[in-house]
């Protein structure tokens, strides 16, 4: 059985991004998005995890535009709370196993969708792309990321950056810190300064997945882009001294955090920074929409006054990316409604309504850049900067399949209890060895 790379190079910009290898051929035949289910347009049930401030606002804006364009179609928002989709994906798996799929569901573009593809649970969308002229609307390098064995299986709505350091300028000033840290070593020193000179939390965390998110940032910051990307290649060695050093730094950083209850999730951890209760938070740039959005779904905070941002320590010059996308489940109850939703999600109008509120940049090339201000203008420029290096977010589905993703989460969960770096590294070595790559 031959190995096939799920990811392809994003032109010269993605030369360092690791290919995600998978074993076996697709178990179902694809008709390029041809109809095998109902063409009912009376309703569409859209399944996502967009319930937080910013993302919920963006979804509501797309929903309103969808209803205006499709007045005869009832829109059912089946969003389930839980940062990074941790709760929603468990519910989705049960529904798919019981052959009760939603009409369309959210998934991270990349390796995260592979299990659905191999199980024959989602349709290829080649005909949809051709009929709606999407191949020229999306960057070629992004299309390569969502193609498996020559077929496209999802519609990207946005691009997010995972490696962002959010910080409170007032707390840093009180701690005697004049600029955000540029390396992991500087970061640890700054965390120590905050602890010693203020009564604030040095680094805020939420539910356990935010510790996984922190881990990928520390690995990237310590190892560098090329070595980080190499961790996701088949046969990668997670047992090296360099990885051990990065994990040791992760353990040291964790000493300056407060892990909140699962119910707190990323929003509570991020809010601690803009409220002045914590100095730093490492979170994806969806936090921007949460910070700046108005009530009831946002905090109405001001950039530069209430918060600032920088690349996470050691990662300047690298864009750790992920993309939210939507799929067409096989045997969707209202397939016609699903197709109409995918048209909305892939449209210039839909993406320009959604992304400024979500705190992300659009996946399409023809977006109205004048709509993207503050951090989002910076993100636009960074994504398109000549020579920018790209790294896939393993936690957000780009370059780790579901099994390795779960095994890493298990290893981190055990570390949070025993604080044993050697056992954490052993768990990550095992996760890579048993990933199927």
């Amino acid at each position: 059985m031959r190995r096939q790379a799920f990811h392809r190079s994003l032109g010269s910009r993605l030369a360092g991004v690791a290919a995600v290898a998978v074993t076996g051929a697709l178990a179902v035949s694809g008709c390029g998005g041809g109809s095998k289910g109902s063409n009912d347009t009376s309703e569409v049930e859209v399944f996502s995890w967009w319930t937080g401030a910013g993302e919920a606002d963006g979804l509501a804006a797309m929903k309103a535009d969808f209803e205006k364009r499709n007045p005869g179609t009832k829109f059912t928002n089946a969003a389930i709370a839980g940062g990074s989709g941790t709760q929603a994906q468990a519910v989705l798996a049960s529904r798919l196993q019981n052959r009760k799929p939603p009409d369309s569901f959210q998934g991270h573009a990349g390796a995260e969708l592979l299990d659905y593809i191999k199980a024959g649970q989602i349709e290829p969308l080649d005909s949809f792309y051709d009929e709606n002229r999407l191949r020229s609307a999306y960057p070629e390098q992004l299309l390569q990321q969502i193609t498996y064995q020559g077929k496209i299986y999802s519609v990207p709505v946005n691009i997010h950056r995972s490696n962002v350091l959010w910080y409170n300028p007032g707390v840093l000033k009180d701690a005697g810190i004049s600029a955000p840290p540029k390396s992991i070593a500087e970061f640890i020193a700054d965390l120590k300064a905050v602890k010693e000179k203020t009564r604030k939390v040095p680094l805020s965390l939420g539910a356990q997945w935010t510790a996984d998110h922190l881990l990928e940032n520390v690995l990237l910051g310590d190892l560098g882009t090329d070595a980080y990307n190499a961790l996701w290649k088949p046969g990668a060695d997670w047992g090296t001294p360099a990885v051990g050093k990065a994990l040791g730094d992760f353990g040291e950083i964790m000493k300056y955090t407060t892990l909140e209850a699962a119910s707190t999730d990323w929003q509570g951890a991020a809010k601690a920074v803009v409220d002045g209760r914590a100095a730093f938070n490492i979170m994806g740039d969806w936090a921007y929409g949460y910070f700046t959005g108005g009530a009831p779904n946002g905090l109405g905070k001001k950039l530069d006054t209430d918060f600032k941002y920088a690349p996470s320590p050691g990662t300047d010059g690298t864009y750790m990316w992920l993309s939210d996308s939507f799929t067409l489940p096989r045997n969707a109850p209202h397939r016609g409604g699903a197709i109409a939703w995918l048209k909305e999600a892939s449209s210039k109008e839909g993406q320009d309504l959604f992304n400024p509120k979500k705190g992300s940049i659009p996946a399409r090339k023809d977006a109205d850049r004048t709509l993207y201000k503050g951090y989002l203008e910076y993100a636009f420029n960074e994504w398109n900067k000549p020579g920018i290096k790209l790294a896939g977010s393993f936690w957000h589905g780009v370059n780790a399949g579901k099994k390795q993703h779960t095994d890493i989460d298990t290893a981190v969960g055990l570390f949070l209890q025993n604080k044993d770096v050697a056992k954490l590294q052993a768990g990550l070595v095992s996760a890579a060895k048993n990933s199927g790559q």
Side-chain angles (χ1 to χ4, degrees):
M1 301 177 74
R2 68 186 179 87
R3 295 179 182 269
Q4 171 151 342
F6 188 92
H7 302 102
R8 294 291 185 261
S9 171
L10 292 186
S12 60
R13 295 173 58 200
L14 254 185
V17 175
V20 175
V22 298
T23 303
L26 187 61
V28 298
S29 61
C31 58
S35 174
K36 285 194 175 182
S38 168
N39 284 317
D40 185 357
T41 61
S42 64
E43 184 178 351
V44 61
E45 182 191 14
V46 176
F47 187 97
S48 77
W49 53 83
W50 287 336
T51 63
E55 59 191 16
D57 295 334
L59 179 59
M62 271 204 298
K63 173 180 177 288
D65 191 55
F66 173 86
E67 291 174 334
K68 181 167 49 175
R69 294 169 181 268
N70 303 274
T73 303
K74 176 185 176 183
F75 185 98
T76 299
N77 181 2
I80 293 180
S84 190
T86 49
Q87 303 300 322
Q89 291 182 33
V91 174
L92 177 63
S94 176
R95 290 189 59 174
L96 293 176
Q97 288 169 6
N98 290 300
R99 299 184 180 181
K100 295 180 179 179
D103 295 309
S104 183
F105 64 83
Q106 177 188 0
H108 290 126
E112 181 178 293
L113 298 180
L114 186 56
D115 286 354
Y116 304 125
I117 296 170
K118 294 177 71 176
Q121 293 172 328
I122 56 178
E123 291 189 31
L125 294 169
D126 300 274
S127 294
F128 176 82
Y129 269 74
D130 293 337
E131 292 165 5
N132 294 280
R133 300 180 181 179
L134 294 180
R135 295 183 192 274
S136 60
Y138 285 103
E140 174 60 28
Q141 57 265 36
L142 182 59
L143 293 179
Q144 293 171 7
Q145 298 300 293
I146 58 175
T147 298
Y148 174 70
Q149 294 190 342
K151 297 183 182 298
I152 299 175
Y153 287 88
S154 64
V155 171
V157 180
N158 64 357
I159 298 293
H160 266 304
R161 190 175 194 177
S162 175
N163 59 316
V164 185
L165 177 73
W166 307 97
Y167 62 96
N168 186 295
V171 176
L172 264 62
K173 181 179 180 180
D174 291 344
I177 301 169
S178 60
K182 294 184 177 180
S183 68
I184 295 296
E186 288 183 13
F187 188 38
I188 293 173
D190 287 350
L191 294 174
K192 182 178 180 182
V194 171
K195 182 177 181 179
E196 292 179 347
K197 298 179 181 180
T198 75
R199 295 183 178 181
K200 307 301 173 66
V201 175
L203 176 65
S204 59
L205 282 183
Q208 180 182 312
W209 78 266
T210 66
D212 295 278
H213 183 104
L214 173 64
L215 173 62
E216 71 177 15
N217 277 268
V218 174
L219 288 171
L220 178 62
D222 258 341
L223 297 175
T225 310
D226 293 342
Y228 170 86
N229 287 332
L231 290 177
W232 311 103
K233 294 179 180 178
D237 184 6
W238 284 70
T240 65
V243 172
K245 166 66 166 56
L247 296 179
D249 286 341
F250 174 70
E252 183 66 20
I253 290 168
M254 287 297 297
K255 295 177 182 178
Y256 296 96
T257 68
T258 300
L259 194 66
E260 301 291 349
S263 59
T264 302
D265 216 331
W266 69 268
Q267 291 95 338
K271 189 174 185 294
V273 169
V274 296
D275 286 349
R277 293 182 287 112
F280 298 105
N281 176 238
I282 291 180
M283 185 46 56
D285 56 11
W286 47 89
Y288 181 74
Y290 174 54
F291 290 154
T292 59
N297 288 326
L299 302 178
K301 298 294 185 176
K302 301 295 184 182
L303 178 63
D304 294 331
T305 302
D306 298 312
F307 70 96
K308 289 188 175 182
Y309 60 84
S312 62
T315 72
D316 191 16
T318 299
Y319 205 111
M320 185 181 279
W321 74 279
L322 60 138
S323 175
D324 293 304
S325 65
F326 281 93
T327 63
L328 178 61
R330 194 167 294 276
N331 298 319
H334 309 93
R335 189 179 185 281
I339 291 292
W341 168 248
L342 293 179
K343 288 181 179 179
E344 175 69 27
S346 63
S347 70
K348 175 182 181 296
E349 295 79 10
Q351 293 193 14
D352 276 342
L353 284 168
F354 174 76
N355 285 293
K357 291 180 171 60
K358 174 69 161 67
S360 50
I361 58 177
R364 291 182 63 110
K365 296 186 294 185
D366 57 354
D368 182 355
R369 295 194 176 202
T370 64
L371 298 174
Y372 300 88
K373 307 294 186 181
Y375 167 81
L376 296 181
E377 181 180 7
Y378 163 80
F380 242 131
N381 293 336
E382 286 286 291
W383 176 253
N384 293 287
K385 181 187 293 184
I388 189 75
K389 292 185 176 182
L390 301 187
S393 165
F394 81 74
W395 182 253
H396 300 282
V398 175
N399 50 12
K402 286 185 177 293
K403 186 177 188 326
Q404 188 175 13
H405 183 278
T406 299
D407 290 347
I408 290 174
D409 186 48
T410 298
V412 170
L414 292 172
F415 173 77
L416 296 179
Q417 299 175 38
N418 58 39
K419 306 297 189 295
D420 191 321
V421 172
K423 288 183 179 179
L424 173 59
Q425 186 165 16
L428 298 178
V429 168
S430 177
K433 183 182 297 184
N434 297 318
S435 67
Q437 298 184 26

